[in-house]
Amino acid sequence: MWLILFLNVLFQPASSLDFDAFKAKVQPLLAEKRPGHARCITCHSTGTAFRLVRLPAGRTAYTDEESRKNFQAVTRVVLPGVPLKSRLLTMPLAHEAGGTEFHPGGKHWESQADPEWKALADWVNSTK
């Protein structure tokens, strides 16, 4: 079962997820500072398999190329249309709320009702 899920995620065409919505709604959440937690891009710009581009110092926006790299990284941990099978949504979600048991960066969302979690889930669900 896990192998099938892994292969589905690995070989899912990125075009089924909306790049423009990613840039407008998802990428800003990955760079957002959360009280008591590091930004996602802080930990995920080095040392992890889920590798994001950190926004260079002094800049307030990503280039299109940087956004595409982040989009490609995120599409590898998302199963379009299935938020609860998408590591982007389950790793930082509390275990009691349907998340994985462990996330090295801690749990960012206590429930699936969290506005950030819902925004990401909406993007995952809104496949083209």
Side-chain angles (χ1 to χ4, degrees):
M1 171 71 176
W2 284 106
L3 179 59
I4 292 169
L5 176 62
F6 175 74
L7 292 174
N8 280 340
V9 171
L10 187 63
F11 295 109
Q12 183 73 343
S15 63
S16 67
L17 293 165
D18 187 334
F19 175 68
D20 291 328
F22 169 81
K23 284 189 345 183
K25 298 176 184 173
V26 175
Q27 189 168 242
L29 292 177
L30 300 175
E32 177 114 357
K33 175 67 176 137
R34 290 170 187 81
H37 297 281
R39 292 172 171 87
C40 298
I41 60 170
T42 300
C43 294
H44 289 286
S45 62
T46 60
T48 68
F50 175 39
R51 186 71 52 95
L52 299 168
V53 176
R54 187 183 285 204
L55 190 61
R59 288 216 341 248
T60 58
Y62 285 99
T63 66
D64 198 55
E65 180 182 346
E66 291 165 339
S67 291
R68 289 227 176 259
K69 286 180 182 178
N70 284 339
F71 179 72
Q72 289 301 318
V74 170
T75 60
R76 288 192 293 273
V77 293
V78 166
L79 182 57
V82 191
L84 288 173
K85 300 274 186 200
S86 300
R87 293 182 67 194
L88 178 71
L89 286 146
T90 59
M91 291 290 288
L93 177 64
H95 183 64
E96 303 77 30
T100 59
E101 206 166 323
F102 180 71
H103 177 235
K107 298 298 184 170
H108 297 287
W109 311 301
E110 294 302 313
S111 79
Q112 294 177 31
D114 183 283
E116 284 186 0
W117 194 92
K118 287 171 71 172
L120 294 173
D122 287 347
W123 175 70
V124 170
N125 277 323
S126 65
T127 57
K128 290 182 181 180

